[in-house]
Amino acid sequence: MMMHTMMMKPMMAHTPTTTAMDALFEHVMGDIVCAATHGCGANAAYVRGGGRVEPARALRDARAEETSRGYLITATAPGVRAADVEATVETDSRANAVLRVKVRGKKYELGSLPAKYLDAAVAPKASLIDGVLRVAILKKMPMTYDIPVSADEDMDDDEDDDTSAITLRVPGFGARDITVTLSKPEDALSVTGQSKLGFGEFSKTFKNLPAALESKHISATCAHGVLTIKMADPDKITPLEIMVSGVAVSEDAFKDKVVLLLRAVPGTSADKIKCTLGADRVLNIEATTTHSRSSIAISVPRDVDYSTIQAVCVDGVFTIVAERDADANKSHSVHIEVSGEHIAALSEPPAHAEKQLPAAPTVAAKTTMPTTTMESPSKTTNDNDGVTIE
Protein backbone atom coordinates (compact mmCIF):
# COMPACT_ATOMS: atom_id res chain seq x y z
CA MET A 1 0.00 0.00 0.00
CA MET A 2 1.41 3.26 -1.00
CA MET A 3 1.20 6.18 1.30
CA HIS A 4 0.65 9.69 0.00
CA THR A 5 1.96 12.45 2.08
CA MET A 6 0.29 15.86 1.81
CA MET A 7 2.21 18.92 2.74
CA MET A 8 0.10 21.45 4.64
CA LYS A 9 1.04 25.03 4.04
CA PRO A 10 1.12 27.15 7.13
CA MET A 11 -1.82 29.59 7.28
CA MET A 12 -0.85 33.18 7.09
CA ALA A 13 -2.35 35.50 9.71
CA HIS A 14 -4.82 37.94 8.08
CA THR A 15 -5.36 41.32 9.56
CA PRO A 16 -8.71 42.88 8.53
CA THR A 17 -8.48 46.26 6.91
CA THR A 18 -10.03 49.34 8.45
CA THR A 19 -12.89 49.17 5.97
CA ALA A 20 -13.61 45.55 6.81
CA MET A 21 -13.54 46.35 10.53
CA ASP A 22 -16.04 49.16 10.02
CA ALA A 23 -18.37 46.88 8.08
CA LEU A 24 -18.10 44.17 10.75
CA PHE A 25 -18.71 46.71 13.51
CA GLU A 26 -21.73 48.14 11.73
CA HIS A 27 -23.17 44.67 11.13
CA VAL A 28 -22.77 43.62 14.77
CA MET A 29 -24.03 46.93 16.14
CA GLY A 30 -26.96 46.79 13.75
CA ASP A 31 -28.01 43.45 15.28
CA ILE A 32 -27.60 44.85 18.79
CA VAL A 33 -29.64 47.94 18.01
CA CYS A 34 -32.26 45.79 16.34
CA ALA A 35 -32.69 43.73 19.49
CA ALA A 36 -32.75 46.81 21.70
CA THR A 37 -35.34 48.71 19.66
CA HIS A 38 -37.80 45.95 18.72
CA GLY A 39 -36.46 45.21 15.27
CA CYS A 40 -35.43 48.56 13.83
CA GLY A 41 -31.77 47.89 13.09
CA ALA A 42 -32.21 48.84 9.46
CA ASN A 43 -33.37 52.31 10.47
CA ALA A 44 -30.98 52.84 13.38
CA ALA A 45 -27.74 54.76 13.74
CA TYR A 46 -24.79 53.86 15.95
CA VAL A 47 -22.11 55.85 17.72
CA ARG A 48 -18.78 54.08 17.45
CA GLY A 49 -17.12 56.03 20.19
CA GLY A 50 -19.86 55.20 22.64
CA GLY A 51 -22.89 57.20 23.72
CA ARG A 52 -26.63 56.96 23.10
CA VAL A 53 -27.96 54.96 20.18
CA GLU A 54 -30.89 56.72 18.44
CA PRO A 55 -33.16 55.57 15.63
CA ALA A 56 -32.91 57.47 12.38
CA ARG A 57 -36.68 58.00 12.35
CA ALA A 58 -38.17 58.50 15.79
CA LEU A 59 -41.83 57.88 14.88
CA ARG A 60 -43.02 55.08 12.63
CA ASP A 61 -46.11 53.03 11.86
CA ALA A 62 -48.56 55.83 12.67
CA ARG A 63 -52.20 54.84 12.55
CA ALA A 64 -55.52 56.45 13.51
CA GLU A 65 -58.63 54.75 14.88
CA GLU A 66 -62.05 56.42 15.09
CA THR A 67 -64.62 55.39 17.66
CA SER A 68 -67.93 56.83 18.81
CA ARG A 69 -66.07 58.73 21.53
CA GLY A 70 -63.16 60.13 19.56
CA TYR A 71 -59.91 59.53 17.70
CA LEU A 72 -56.97 57.43 18.93
CA ILE A 73 -53.67 57.99 17.10
CA THR A 74 -50.76 55.64 17.80
CA ALA A 75 -47.18 55.41 16.56
CA THR A 76 -44.09 53.45 17.54
CA ALA A 77 -41.29 55.51 19.08
CA PRO A 78 -38.49 53.15 20.18
CA GLY A 79 -35.80 54.70 22.33
CA VAL A 80 -37.80 57.90 22.87
CA ARG A 81 -38.91 59.23 26.25
CA ALA A 82 -42.06 61.20 26.99
CA ALA A 83 -39.95 64.20 27.94
CA ASP A 84 -38.50 64.25 24.41
CA VAL A 85 -41.92 64.72 22.75
CA GLU A 86 -44.04 67.81 22.12
CA ALA A 87 -47.54 67.40 20.67
CA THR A 88 -50.06 69.96 19.42
CA VAL A 89 -53.37 70.01 17.55
CA GLU A 90 -53.58 72.91 15.10
CA THR A 91 -56.90 74.01 13.58
CA ASP A 92 -57.04 76.29 10.55
CA SER A 93 -59.79 78.58 9.25
CA ARG A 94 -61.15 75.82 7.01
CA ALA A 95 -62.03 73.61 9.99
CA ASN A 96 -59.15 71.19 9.40
CA ALA A 97 -57.26 69.92 12.43
CA VAL A 98 -53.73 68.51 12.16
CA LEU A 99 -51.87 66.56 14.84
CA ARG A 100 -48.22 67.64 14.91
CA VAL A 101 -45.52 65.97 16.99
CA LYS A 102 -41.95 67.13 17.57
CA VAL A 103 -39.36 64.60 18.75
CA ARG A 104 -35.95 66.03 19.71
CA GLY A 105 -36.41 68.91 17.33
CA LYS A 106 -37.68 66.86 14.38
CA LYS A 107 -41.28 67.53 13.30
CA TYR A 108 -43.86 64.93 12.27
CA GLU A 109 -47.42 65.27 11.00
CA LEU A 110 -49.62 62.38 12.11
CA GLY A 111 -52.71 63.07 10.04
CA SER A 112 -55.70 65.39 9.65
CA LEU A 113 -58.98 65.33 11.55
CA PRO A 114 -62.34 67.11 10.98
CA ALA A 115 -62.23 69.98 13.45
CA LYS A 116 -66.00 70.29 13.76
CA TYR A 117 -66.17 66.92 15.53
CA LEU A 118 -63.42 67.67 18.08
CA ASP A 119 -64.45 68.62 21.60
CA ALA A 120 -62.55 71.82 22.33
CA ALA A 121 -63.80 71.80 25.94
CA VAL A 122 -61.79 68.68 26.78
CA ALA A 123 -58.00 68.73 26.48
CA PRO A 124 -56.52 65.89 24.38
CA LYS A 125 -54.40 63.30 26.18
CA ALA A 126 -51.08 61.77 25.13
CA SER A 127 -48.71 59.17 26.51
CA LEU A 128 -45.42 57.54 25.52
CA ILE A 129 -44.87 54.26 27.35
CA ASP A 130 -42.71 51.30 26.28
CA GLY A 131 -41.95 52.90 22.93
CA VAL A 132 -45.59 53.49 21.93
CA LEU A 133 -46.99 56.99 21.48
CA ARG A 134 -50.74 57.33 22.00
CA VAL A 135 -52.83 60.47 21.47
CA ALA A 136 -56.52 60.47 22.45
CA ILE A 137 -58.79 63.26 21.18
CA LEU A 138 -62.44 63.28 22.23
CA LYS A 139 -65.36 64.05 19.92
CA LYS A 140 -68.22 66.39 20.70
CA MET A 141 -71.26 64.69 22.14
CA PRO A 142 -73.79 64.23 19.31
CA MET A 143 -76.91 66.32 19.78
CA THR A 144 -80.24 66.50 17.99
CA TYR A 145 -82.64 69.45 18.13
CA ASP A 146 -86.32 69.06 17.32
CA ILE A 147 -87.66 71.77 15.01
CA PRO A 148 -91.35 72.54 15.63
CA VAL A 149 -93.55 72.03 12.56
CA SER A 150 -96.38 74.53 12.31
CA ALA A 151 -99.67 74.06 10.46
CA ASP A 152 -99.93 77.82 9.82
CA GLU A 153 -99.47 78.41 6.10
CA ASP A 154 -98.77 82.10 6.66
CA MET A 155 -95.80 81.41 8.91
CA ASP A 156 -92.81 83.55 7.82
CA ASP A 157 -94.48 84.30 4.52
CA ASP A 158 -92.07 87.14 3.74
CA GLU A 159 -89.12 86.04 1.63
CA ASP A 160 -85.66 87.28 2.61
CA ASP A 161 -82.55 87.35 0.46
CA ASP A 162 -80.60 85.61 3.20
CA THR A 163 -83.07 82.72 3.60
CA SER A 164 -82.98 79.39 1.74
CA ALA A 165 -85.96 77.06 1.56
CA ILE A 166 -86.57 73.32 1.17
CA THR A 167 -89.97 72.33 -0.19
CA LEU A 168 -91.35 68.77 0.00
CA ARG A 169 -94.66 67.63 -1.47
CA VAL A 170 -96.23 65.41 1.17
CA PRO A 171 -99.94 64.84 0.35
CA GLY A 172 -101.72 62.97 3.13
CA PHE A 173 -99.37 64.31 5.82
CA GLY A 174 -100.08 67.08 8.29
CA ALA A 175 -97.82 68.99 10.64
CA ARG A 176 -98.59 66.46 13.40
CA ASP A 177 -97.23 63.62 11.21
CA ILE A 178 -93.83 65.14 10.47
CA THR A 179 -90.65 65.40 12.56
CA VAL A 180 -87.75 67.68 11.65
CA THR A 181 -84.46 67.38 13.55
CA LEU A 182 -81.09 69.11 13.32
CA SER A 183 -78.07 66.93 14.17
CA LYS A 184 -74.88 68.48 15.50
CA PRO A 185 -71.97 68.33 14.92
CA GLU A 186 -72.93 66.36 11.78
CA ASP A 187 -74.68 69.50 10.44
CA ALA A 188 -77.49 67.39 8.96
CA LEU A 189 -81.23 68.00 8.80
CA SER A 190 -83.47 64.92 8.98
CA VAL A 191 -87.13 64.91 7.95
CA THR A 192 -89.36 61.93 8.75
CA GLY A 193 -93.09 61.46 8.35
CA GLN A 194 -95.65 58.85 9.32
CA SER A 195 -99.19 59.50 8.13
CA LYS A 196 -101.96 58.88 10.62
CA LEU A 197 -104.37 58.61 7.67
CA GLY A 198 -102.63 55.58 6.20
CA PHE A 199 -100.57 57.31 3.49
CA GLY A 200 -97.35 55.54 4.52
CA GLU A 201 -94.10 57.02 5.74
CA PHE A 202 -90.99 58.72 4.38
CA SER A 203 -87.58 59.96 5.48
CA LYS A 204 -85.04 62.33 3.97
CA THR A 205 -81.72 63.73 5.15
CA PHE A 206 -80.01 66.93 4.00
CA LYS A 207 -76.30 67.02 4.78
CA ASN A 208 -73.40 69.48 4.61
CA LEU A 209 -75.33 72.36 6.12
CA PRO A 210 -73.38 75.41 7.34
CA ALA A 211 -71.49 74.64 10.55
CA ALA A 212 -72.83 77.80 12.17
CA LEU A 213 -76.46 76.81 11.51
CA GLU A 214 -78.46 76.40 14.73
CA SER A 215 -82.05 75.46 15.48
CA LYS A 216 -82.98 79.13 15.96
CA HIS A 217 -82.20 79.70 12.27
CA ILE A 218 -84.71 77.04 11.11
CA SER A 219 -88.50 77.12 10.82
CA ALA A 220 -90.88 74.54 9.35
CA THR A 221 -94.52 74.61 8.26
CA CYS A 222 -96.77 72.02 6.66
CA ALA A 223 -100.03 73.07 5.03
CA HIS A 224 -102.15 71.59 2.22
CA GLY A 225 -99.73 68.71 1.66
CA VAL A 226 -96.65 70.90 1.24
CA LEU A 227 -93.82 70.98 3.80
CA THR A 228 -91.66 74.10 3.74
CA ILE A 229 -88.44 74.39 5.75
CA LYS A 230 -86.73 77.75 5.83
CA MET A 231 -83.17 78.31 6.96
CA ALA A 232 -81.77 81.76 7.65
CA ASP A 233 -78.16 82.43 6.77
CA PRO A 234 -76.21 82.13 10.06
CA ASP A 235 -73.40 84.24 8.60
CA LYS A 236 -75.57 87.10 7.39
CA ILE A 237 -74.29 90.62 7.91
CA THR A 238 -75.85 94.05 8.26
CA PRO A 239 -76.53 95.58 4.82
CA LEU A 240 -74.38 98.61 3.99
CA GLU A 241 -74.38 101.37 1.43
CA ILE A 242 -70.87 101.94 0.10
CA MET A 243 -70.05 105.54 -0.74
CA VAL A 244 -68.24 105.94 -4.07
CA SER A 245 -65.48 108.54 -3.92
CA GLY A 246 -64.40 110.67 -6.86
CA VAL A 247 -61.16 111.80 -5.25
CA ALA A 248 -57.93 110.37 -6.61
CA VAL A 249 -55.82 108.37 -4.15
CA SER A 250 -52.18 107.35 -4.20
CA GLU A 251 -51.07 103.85 -5.16
CA ASP A 252 -49.93 103.23 -1.58
CA ALA A 253 -53.51 103.69 -0.34
CA PHE A 254 -54.48 100.38 -1.98
CA LYS A 255 -51.29 98.55 -1.06
CA ASP A 256 -51.80 95.15 0.62
CA LYS A 257 -55.56 95.34 0.05
CA VAL A 258 -57.83 92.91 -1.76
CA VAL A 259 -59.07 94.20 -5.12
CA LEU A 260 -62.72 93.17 -5.42
CA LEU A 261 -63.39 94.96 -8.68
CA LEU A 262 -61.35 96.91 -11.26
CA ARG A 263 -63.26 98.02 -14.33
CA ALA A 264 -63.06 100.71 -16.98
CA VAL A 265 -66.19 102.90 -17.01
CA PRO A 266 -65.47 105.70 -19.47
CA GLY A 267 -67.94 108.56 -19.30
CA THR A 268 -69.13 107.60 -15.79
CA SER A 269 -68.53 109.77 -12.73
CA ALA A 270 -68.58 108.70 -9.09
CA ASP A 271 -71.98 110.26 -8.42
CA LYS A 272 -73.52 108.07 -11.13
CA ILE A 273 -72.58 104.80 -9.38
CA LYS A 274 -74.57 103.22 -6.56
CA CYS A 275 -72.95 100.44 -4.53
CA THR A 276 -74.72 98.44 -1.79
CA LEU A 277 -73.68 95.39 0.23
CA GLY A 278 -76.45 92.91 1.00
CA ALA A 279 -76.86 90.66 4.04
CA ASP A 280 -75.67 87.75 1.88
CA ARG A 281 -72.27 89.48 1.34
CA VAL A 282 -73.08 90.34 -2.28
CA LEU A 283 -72.10 93.75 -3.68
CA ASN A 284 -74.74 95.16 -6.00
CA ILE A 285 -73.43 97.91 -8.28
CA GLU A 286 -75.49 100.09 -10.60
CA ALA A 287 -74.03 102.65 -12.99
CA THR A 288 -76.18 105.17 -14.82
CA THR A 289 -75.16 107.44 -17.68
CA THR A 290 -77.07 109.65 -20.08
CA HIS A 291 -77.04 106.88 -22.69
CA SER A 292 -77.14 103.60 -20.73
CA ARG A 293 -77.64 101.82 -17.46
CA SER A 294 -75.74 98.75 -16.28
CA SER A 295 -75.50 96.62 -13.16
CA ILE A 296 -73.24 93.95 -11.73
CA ALA A 297 -73.16 91.78 -8.60
CA ILE A 298 -70.05 90.31 -6.98
CA SER A 299 -69.62 88.17 -3.88
CA VAL A 300 -67.35 89.34 -1.09
CA PRO A 301 -65.02 86.55 0.09
CA ARG A 302 -65.38 85.33 3.68
CA ASP A 303 -61.82 86.30 4.53
CA VAL A 304 -62.48 89.97 3.70
CA ASP A 305 -63.44 92.51 6.35
CA TYR A 306 -66.58 93.95 4.74
CA SER A 307 -66.50 97.01 7.02
CA THR A 308 -63.31 98.20 5.26
CA ILE A 309 -64.71 98.22 1.70
CA GLN A 310 -63.75 101.33 -0.30
CA ALA A 311 -65.02 102.36 -3.74
CA VAL A 312 -63.32 104.94 -5.97
CA CYS A 313 -64.18 106.12 -9.49
CA VAL A 314 -61.53 108.39 -11.00
CA ASP A 315 -60.69 109.10 -14.65
CA GLY A 316 -63.11 106.50 -15.94
CA VAL A 317 -61.77 103.64 -13.78
CA PHE A 318 -63.92 102.13 -11.03
CA THR A 319 -62.11 100.32 -8.21
CA ILE A 320 -63.38 98.51 -5.11
CA VAL A 321 -60.88 97.33 -2.49
CA ALA A 322 -61.03 95.99 1.08
CA GLU A 323 -58.75 94.72 3.82
CA ARG A 324 -58.45 91.09 4.77
CA ASP A 325 -60.02 89.92 8.01
CA ALA A 326 -57.12 89.46 10.40
CA ASP A 327 -58.94 86.68 12.28
CA ALA A 328 -60.30 84.82 9.25
CA ASN A 329 -57.17 82.78 8.49
CA LYS A 330 -55.80 82.42 12.00
CA SER A 331 -54.98 78.93 13.19
CA HIS A 332 -55.70 77.74 16.70
CA SER A 333 -53.16 75.56 18.48
CA VAL A 334 -53.72 73.33 21.53
CA HIS A 335 -50.71 71.97 23.41
CA ILE A 336 -50.93 68.34 24.57
CA GLU A 337 -49.08 67.11 27.65
CA VAL A 338 -47.30 63.80 27.02
CA SER A 339 -47.31 61.45 30.01
CA GLY A 340 -44.78 58.72 30.64
CA GLU A 341 -46.87 57.03 33.34
CA HIS A 342 -50.57 57.07 32.45
CA ILE A 343 -51.75 55.55 29.16
CA ALA A 344 -53.86 57.94 27.06
CA ALA A 345 -57.29 56.52 26.30
CA LEU A 346 -60.74 57.59 25.13
CA SER A 347 -62.51 57.52 28.48
CA GLU A 348 -66.27 57.59 28.79
CA PRO A 349 -67.87 60.97 29.58
CA PRO A 350 -68.94 61.63 33.19
CA ALA A 351 -72.57 61.04 34.14
CA HIS A 352 -73.29 64.75 34.40
CA ALA A 353 -71.81 65.59 30.97
CA GLU A 354 -75.23 65.69 29.30
CA LYS A 355 -76.40 68.44 31.66
CA GLN A 356 -73.42 70.58 30.74
CA LEU A 357 -74.22 70.50 27.02
CA PRO A 358 -75.90 73.66 25.70
CA ALA A 359 -79.50 73.32 24.59
CA ALA A 360 -81.40 75.41 22.10
CA PRO A 361 -83.50 78.10 23.81
CA THR A 362 -86.80 77.17 22.14
CA VAL A 363 -86.50 73.48 21.31
CA ALA A 364 -85.70 70.31 23.21
CA ALA A 365 -82.27 68.72 22.96
CA LYS A 366 -81.38 65.09 23.31
CA THR A 367 -78.23 63.03 22.90
CA THR A 368 -78.09 60.40 20.18
CA MET A 369 -75.53 58.31 18.45
CA PRO A 370 -74.33 59.87 15.17
CA THR A 371 -76.31 58.73 12.12
CA THR A 372 -74.59 58.58 8.77
CA THR A 373 -77.31 56.99 6.65
CA MET A 374 -81.08 56.93 6.59
CA GLU A 375 -83.04 53.76 6.00
CA SER A 376 -85.14 53.68 2.88
CA PRO A 377 -88.87 54.06 3.64
CA SER A 378 -91.04 51.02 3.19
CA LYS A 379 -93.63 53.23 1.56
CA THR A 380 -93.17 56.78 0.37
CA THR A 381 -95.51 59.48 -0.77
CA ASN A 382 -92.92 61.69 -2.42
CA ASP A 383 -89.83 61.34 -4.55
CA ASN A 384 -86.86 63.42 -5.67
CA ASP A 385 -89.08 65.31 -8.09
CA GLY A 386 -91.05 66.63 -5.15
CA VAL A 387 -88.03 68.34 -3.53
CA THR A 388 -87.26 71.95 -4.25
CA ILE A 389 -84.29 73.77 -2.76
CA GLU A 390 -83.99 77.47 -3.36
Side-chain angles (χ1 to χ4, degrees):
M1 180 180 293
M2 298 184 62
M3 301 291 294
H4 295 276
T5 303
M6 297 183 63
M7 301 295 295
M8 301 293 295
K9 294 184 179 180
M11 296 184 64
M12 301 295 295
H14 177 68
T15 302
T17 63
T18 303
T19 303
M21 287 291 291
D22 288 340
L24 178 63
F25 181 80
E26 182 175 356
H27 174 73
V28 174
M29 287 302 297
D31 292 340
I32 294 175
V33 173
C34 178
T37 59
H38 307 289
C40 62
N43 296 318
Y46 65 88
V47 182
R48 184 169 184 178
R52 191 155 100 181
V53 178
E54 297 183 0
R57 181 174 174 83
L59 295 181
R60 293 187 299 278
D61 304 326
R63 53 179 294 183
E65 177 184 357
E66 180 182 0
T67 70
S68 60
R69 286 297 298 127
Y71 302 92
L72 181 63
I73 299 92
T74 60
T76 57
V80 180
R81 302 174 302 168
D84 300 329
V85 180
E86 298 178 14
T88 58
V89 174
E90 297 182 7
T91 304
D92 60 21
S93 59
R94 297 183 178 180
N96 296 318
V98 179
L99 175 60
R100 303 185 190 278
V101 177
K102 183 188 293 186
V103 181
R104 299 171 187 152
K106 189 172 183 178
K107 298 179 180 179
Y108 299 87
E109 186 174 301
L110 299 187
S112 300
L113 303 171
K116 72 176 184 178
Y117 289 105
L118 306 186
D119 191 347
V122 181
K125 300 177 182 179
S127 64
L128 205 164
I129 301 174
D130 297 333
V132 178
L133 173 67
R134 296 166 59 94
V135 181
I137 305 175
L138 291 180
K139 285 182 179 180
K140 293 178 182 177
M141 288 292 295
M143 302 287 295
T144 59
Y145 297 91
D146 293 333
I147 310 300
V149 181
S150 173
D152 185 1
E153 60 179 325
D154 295 327
M155 176 182 172
D156 294 335
D157 191 48
D158 296 334
E159 291 291 340
D160 297 326
D161 293 338
D162 58 338
T163 300
S164 58
I166 299 174
T167 303
L168 301 178
R169 300 170 188 168
V170 289
F173 291 79
R176 64 189 181 281
D177 303 326
I178 296 175
T179 300
V180 179
T181 57
L182 174 66
S183 300
K184 304 291 284 185
E186 290 84 0
D187 300 325
L189 191 70
S190 299
V191 182
T192 60
Q194 186 169 7
S195 175
K196 293 180 175 59
L197 300 178
F199 284 85
E201 59 186 22
F202 73 92
S203 64
K204 288 185 177 294
T205 300
F206 302 91
K207 301 181 179 181
N208 300 321
L209 300 178
L213 186 70
E214 299 179 8
S215 58
K216 64 182 180 181
H217 301 126
I218 306 173
S219 62
T221 180
C222 183
H224 308 302
V226 177
L227 172 65
T228 303
I229 303 173
K230 294 184 178 181
M231 296 178 288
D233 184 1
D235 299 318
K236 69 177 181 179
I237 61 177
T238 303
L240 294 174
E241 183 173 351
I242 310 299
M243 300 300 297
V244 181
S245 173
V247 180
V249 296
S250 63
E251 293 183 0
D252 293 338
F254 291 163
K255 187 178 181 181
D256 299 329
K257 292 187 177 181
V258 180
V259 178
L260 301 177
L261 181 67
L262 180 61
R263 176 163 296 192
V265 287
T268 305
S269 58
D271 61 333
K272 300 298 182 181
I273 300 177
K274 183 180 179 181
C275 184
T276 58
L277 177 65
D280 54 357
R281 301 180 69 94
V282 174
L283 273 172
N284 296 287
I285 305 158
E286 293 183 0
T288 305
T289 65
T290 55
H291 302 289
S292 64
R293 182 177 180 179
S294 60
S295 63
I296 187 175
I298 59 174
S299 297
V300 178
R302 298 285 178 176
D303 61 347
V304 168
D305 185 354
Y306 67 91
S307 64
T308 64
I309 294 177
Q310 295 177 270
V312 177
C313 184
V314 177
D315 298 332
V317 177
F318 182 47
T319 307
I320 302 179
V321 298
E323 297 179 2
R324 291 197 180 277
D325 188 347
D327 298 328
N329 295 320
K330 278 189 176 180
S331 61
H332 177 65
S333 180
V334 177
H335 178 71
I336 307 175
E337 294 290 338
V338 182
S339 173
E341 300 178 356
H342 305 287
I343 296 180
L346 297 171
S347 58
E348 291 298 322
H352 62 279
E354 181 177 345
K355 297 180 180 181
Q356 297 176 346
L357 291 170
T362 58
V363 296
K366 55 186 177 181
T367 57
T368 63
M369 295 303 293
T371 302
T372 56
T373 58
M374 297 293 297
E375 294 184 358
S376 301
S378 58
K379 183 179 180 182
T380 180
T381 59
N382 65 306
D383 51 26
N384 292 336
D385 294 335
V387 182
T388 304
I389 302 177
E390 300 177 352

